[in-house]
Structures are given as C-alpha cells and as structure tokens.
C-alpha cells in the first residue's frame, strides 16, 4: 500500500476533472467528494473510482457541466431530474433544496431521478446535518444489477444504499450509511485491485456456494483497473438475511420506482435515484428536547459493556471520524495498481509527470 497526501491528491484530481470538461466548481466537488470518501475510510467510494468516472464521461454516460432541472417544486416537496450529470452536482443540489424546504415547512421530501453516480450517500446527510437537519435517504443504483435477494442466487437488486443522518450541536452527526448488499460493489472492486479482502459470505456463486473471490462478480481480471461486472456469473448477497433483503427491495421501490428513475433492471443506462426526507428537529421537537435526548441516548448506548475483543461500543459515524483523523495525519492508503490507474488516467488527460503527487511512502 502507498500513502498519498489527501490535499495534494484532491488538487490533482480537481485538475483532472477540469480537463475532462467539468466546470471548476464541479471538478472541485467531484474531487473533494472522492477524497472525502477515502478519508472517511470508504475506499470503495473514494479515489479508486476516479478512472471509472472519467471513462463514463468519455463514453457519454455521465454529462459534465449538466444543470439540475426542478420539474416539481411544491412548498415541502420537489422532483429533480439530474439529466445524467455528475451525481456530486445533482445530489448536492437536491440536498440544498430539501434543507431549504425543511427549514420553511418543518419536513420536506425531494425525489432525485436520473443522476450519474452520487458516490458516498453519507456526504449529503452530512451536508444536511451541518444545517441542523435530520435526513433519511433511500437510493437505487439503477442499471446495476448485482445483488441476490434472500433465498435466491441470481442478481436482482442494485447495492441500493440507505442512509440516515442525525445532527448534533457542536459535534459530528450520527451517520448510518451503508449499501444494502453484504458489501458495497466498490469493496469487491478494491479487493480485486489487491486491497482489503472481502468478508466471509459476501458473494454467492451460481451454484449457491458462498465465496470471497471477486471472480464471482468480474470473471477473470488483469491489472487494468476497469472491471465489468457483467463478466462474472455470481452475485453479492443482500445483507441481514430476510430483513436486509427487504430493506434493499424498499430502496429500489422508494429510491427507484417512486423517484421515476426506475427500480434497477439489466441493460439500462446507469442512474442513481434518491428519495430523501428532510426534517427540522427544531420544528418537530418544539419543547427543545431533541438535542438533549439524542445526547442522553447516545451516552446510554455507548455505555454498554463491550463484547470480548471490542474496545468500545461505537455509534454510526464514529468509525469514519477515526479514519479521517488517521488518514489526514498519514495520507490515504491506496494499492499500487489503483494508484497506477489514477496516474495513467490523469496522464491520458494531459497531466505532466511533475504535477503527479509523490507517494509519502
Ligand atoms: P459499511 O459496511 O462500511 O457500513 C458503514 C456504516 O456502518 C456507517 O454508518 C458506519 O459508521 C457504521 N459502522 C461501521 N462499523 C461500525 C461499528 N463498529 N459500530 C457502529 N457503527 C459502525 O458501508 P458499505 O455498505 O460498504 O457502504 C460504503 C459506502 O458506499 C456508503 O457510503 C454508501 O453510501 C456507498 N454506496 C453508494 C452507492 C451508490 O450507488 N452511490 C451504492 C452502494 C453504496
């Protein structure tokens, strides 16, 4: 594993996305989002995705510089069409709209359809939480069919993430943010590029045998970073047995069918659809009990005696904070293959040798 300084990498990727055709603000948002996901410890949605984002734009699947269209604009409700523009532009727009409306109306819902990849969903819940707003996100990764439902061996769901953010005054939010698959697809990508191994039972073969081998998803791979999940014959499993599989189904129906993106299906233009609810706790918990009760309850949960081998009971969002502290200090870890593919991609868009950040180690 190499280590690359986060700020230097963000500047390098910003230039790369600008050269790809993104306006300055979008280039910064996409680069900042990818580095932010890596800093949070979510390498699967971090800088390893940069070459894929570039390829999708070059193939016309993602449209740089696209403008979000608000096609329904009610006091507490909006529908936004992303026109396959960069998800970091579209989901940020939808989130700002939802936050504004929730501040006006107490509660708001925003349906975002037809966005290119929005990346780490938690980033948008963090943006809402920074404004004091609770948010709940149902997402489909429509067009990507990777996950076997409970009781099945064939792919039917996308990795359909679910996310909830709860703000806390003067503190980082509580942030639950996960794929409803056993692992996010990006974790299979990272494992196939020499990164962290997959947990037992993450994948299932066509014969029903459980597996940790990325071959099940991508078939034979080489050192090139581009993986085609159409080439494997297996599937990722839904998390949490029948309960997790049920939540995945709901993310497809609410994030997909309800937003107008469409629940996932094969051979469809990839799009993230996100249905998000935004709630202003100051207008719901009018007796101002919310912040105090969240603090009381989090302390109660964390006071549970840790299980054997566990140092501390963590609440969602804390692992990401720990990763940020370590990675800001020591740089982002990245496999040599993944780093080589990012550099090759940037060089292909005109980056010079001297612009390329030098690994810290
Ligand atoms: P994960 O399995 O790492 O779970 C992360 C969640 O679990 C976080 O909320 C984290 O704080 C919490 N957590 C982890 N360890 C914990 C502990 N010990 N105690 C308490 N809480 C703990 O996440 P994942 O499923 O690999 O998803 C990774 C990312 O992928 C997410 O950011 C998700 O939004 C993103 N994703 C995006 C898409 C897309 O189409 N845009 C699709 C799938 C996933």
């Amino acid at each position: 594993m190499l280590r690359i300084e986060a700020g230097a990498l963000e500047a390098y990727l910003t230039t790369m996305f600008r050269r790809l055709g993104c306006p300055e603000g979008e280039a910064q948002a996409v680069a900042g989002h990818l580095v932010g996901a890596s800093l949070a410890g979510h390498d699967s949605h971090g800088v390893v995705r940069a070459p894929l984002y570039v390829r999708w734009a070059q193939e016309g699947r993602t449209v740089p510089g696209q403008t979000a269209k608000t096609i329904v604009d009610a006091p507490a409700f909006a529908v936004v069409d992303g026109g396959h523009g960069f998800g970091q532009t579209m989901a940020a727009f939808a989130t700002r709209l939802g936050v504004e409306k929730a501040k006006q109306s107490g509660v708001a819902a925003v349906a975002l359809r037809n966005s290119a990849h929005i990346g780490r969903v938690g980033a948008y819940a963090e943006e809402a939480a920074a404004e004091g707003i609770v948010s709940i996100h149902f997402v489909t990764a429509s067009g990507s069919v990777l996950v076997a439902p409970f009781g099945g061996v064939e792919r039917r769901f996308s990795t359909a993430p679910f996310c909830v953010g709860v703000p806390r005054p003067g503190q980082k939010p509580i942030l639950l943010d996960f794929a409803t698959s056993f692992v996010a697809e990006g974790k299979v990508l990272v494992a196939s590029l020499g990164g962290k191994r997959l947990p037992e039972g993450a994948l299932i073969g066509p014969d029903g045998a459980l597996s940790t081998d990325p071959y099940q998803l991508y078939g034979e791979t080489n050192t090139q970073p581009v993986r085609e999940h159409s080439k494997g014959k297996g599937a990722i499993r839904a998390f949490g047995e029948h309960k997790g599989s049920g939540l995945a189904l709901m993310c497809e129906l609410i994030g997909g069918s309800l937003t107008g993106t469409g629940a996932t299906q094969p051979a469809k233009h990839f799009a993230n659809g996100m249905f998000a609810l935004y709630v202003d706790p100051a207008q719901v918990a009018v007796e101002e009990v919310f912040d105090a009760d969240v603090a009381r309850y989090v302390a109660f949960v964390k006071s549970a005696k840790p299980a054997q081998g566990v140092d501390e009971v963590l609440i969602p969002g804390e692992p990401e904070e720990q990763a940020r502290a370590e990675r800001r200090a020591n740089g982002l870890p990245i496999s040599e293959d993944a780093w080589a593919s990012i550099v090759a991609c940037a060089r292909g868009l005109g980056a010079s040798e001297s612009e390329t950040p030098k690994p810290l180690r």
Side-chain angles (χ1 to χ4, degrees):
M1 280 284 178
L2 304 171
R3 288 273 182 165
I4 315 280
E5 200 269 314
L9 183 49
E10 188 170 332
Y12 186 61
L13 294 181
T14 300
T15 307
M16 184 180 88
F17 285 112
R18 204 171 47 229
R19 287 183 174 134
L20 181 70
C22 295
E24 181 64 27
E26 182 168 82
Q28 281 174 9
V30 176
H33 182 103
L34 294 177
V35 168
S38 291
L39 275 172
H42 291 292
D43 294 320
S44 62
H45 283 68
V47 296
V48 316
R49 293 241 166 189
L52 202 62
Y53 278 20
V54 168
R55 199 185 85 184
W56 285 345
Q58 288 169 334
E59 291 173 354
R61 292 204 256 172
T62 301
V63 184
Q66 181 65 288
T67 308
K69 285 195 184 56
T70 307
I71 53 180
V72 175
D73 193 1
F77 176 58
V79 181
V80 175
D81 195 310
H84 300 287
F86 269 93
Q88 286 71 18
T89 299
M90 300 308 154
F93 175 86
T95 302
R96 280 194 302 274
L97 198 57
V99 166
E100 262 169 43
K101 287 182 183 298
K103 284 186 176 175
Q104 293 290 322
S105 305
V107 177
V110 177
L112 171 66
R113 62 171 68 153
N114 301 329
S115 171
H117 194 249
I118 64 175
R120 186 177 74 93
V121 182
Y124 310 105
E126 284 166 355
E127 283 172 24
E131 296 288 325
I133 300 293
V134 171
S135 65
I136 304 168
H137 308 249
F138 294 85
V139 179
T140 176
S142 191
S144 160
V145 187
L146 294 172
V147 180
F150 179 69
V153 298
E154 285 181 320
R155 305 176 186 189
R156 290 294 181 269
F157 302 143
S158 69
T159 52
F162 177 71
C163 174
V164 181
V166 172
R168 291 187 291 176
Q171 271 183 296
K172 293 288 175 192
I174 302 163
L175 186 74
L176 182 66
D177 172 29
F178 56 72
T180 51
S181 47
F182 201 120
V183 288
E185 190 227 333
K187 294 218 158 91
V188 190
L189 177 71
V190 168
S192 79
L193 289 169
K196 198 171 165 196
R197 260 179 69 84
L198 294 173
E200 290 304 321
L203 305 177
I204 188 163
D207 55 359
L210 303 189
S211 170
T212 54
D213 188 347
Y215 173 84
Q216 294 293 354
L217 211 62
Y218 301 126
E220 288 301 343
T221 54
N222 51 34
T223 54
Q224 292 305 306
V226 173
R227 303 280 184 257
E228 297 287 349
H229 48 63
S230 55
K231 296 203 171 132
K233 294 197 166 42
I236 311 177
R237 293 169 72 217
F239 89 112
E241 306 298 330
H242 57 293
K243 303 180 192 183
S245 184
L247 183 58
L249 177 71
M250 291 305 171
C251 285
E252 291 292 351
L253 297 179
I254 308 296
S257 309
L258 187 59
T259 59
T261 307
T264 196
Q265 55 182 305
K268 179 179 185 293
H269 191 143
F270 175 89
N272 269 141
M274 175 168 81
F275 187 89
L277 293 165
Y278 300 90
V279 184
D280 181 358
Q283 297 184 55
V284 177
V286 283
E287 303 87 353
E288 296 179 5
V289 292
F290 182 73
D291 293 338
D293 201 58
V294 168
R296 175 198 68 76
Y297 191 63
V298 165
F300 178 56
V301 171
K302 286 185 67 67
S303 71
K305 184 180 171 195
Q308 209 174 12
V310 174
D311 294 333
E312 181 192 355
V313 172
L314 298 175
I315 53 156
E318 285 184 330
E320 285 75 8
E321 270 311 295
Q322 292 173 352
R324 280 184 192 113
E326 189 275 320
R327 290 174 172 207
R328 281 210 179 97
N330 302 317
L332 300 181
I334 186 163
S335 72
E336 294 200 13
D337 275 0
W339 179 233
S341 79
I342 291 171
V343 172
C345 181
R347 297 294 290 270
L349 286 164
S352 65
E353 174 80 51
S354 62
E355 284 173 48
T356 308
K358 300 276 170 288
L360 301 172
R361 57 183 146 97

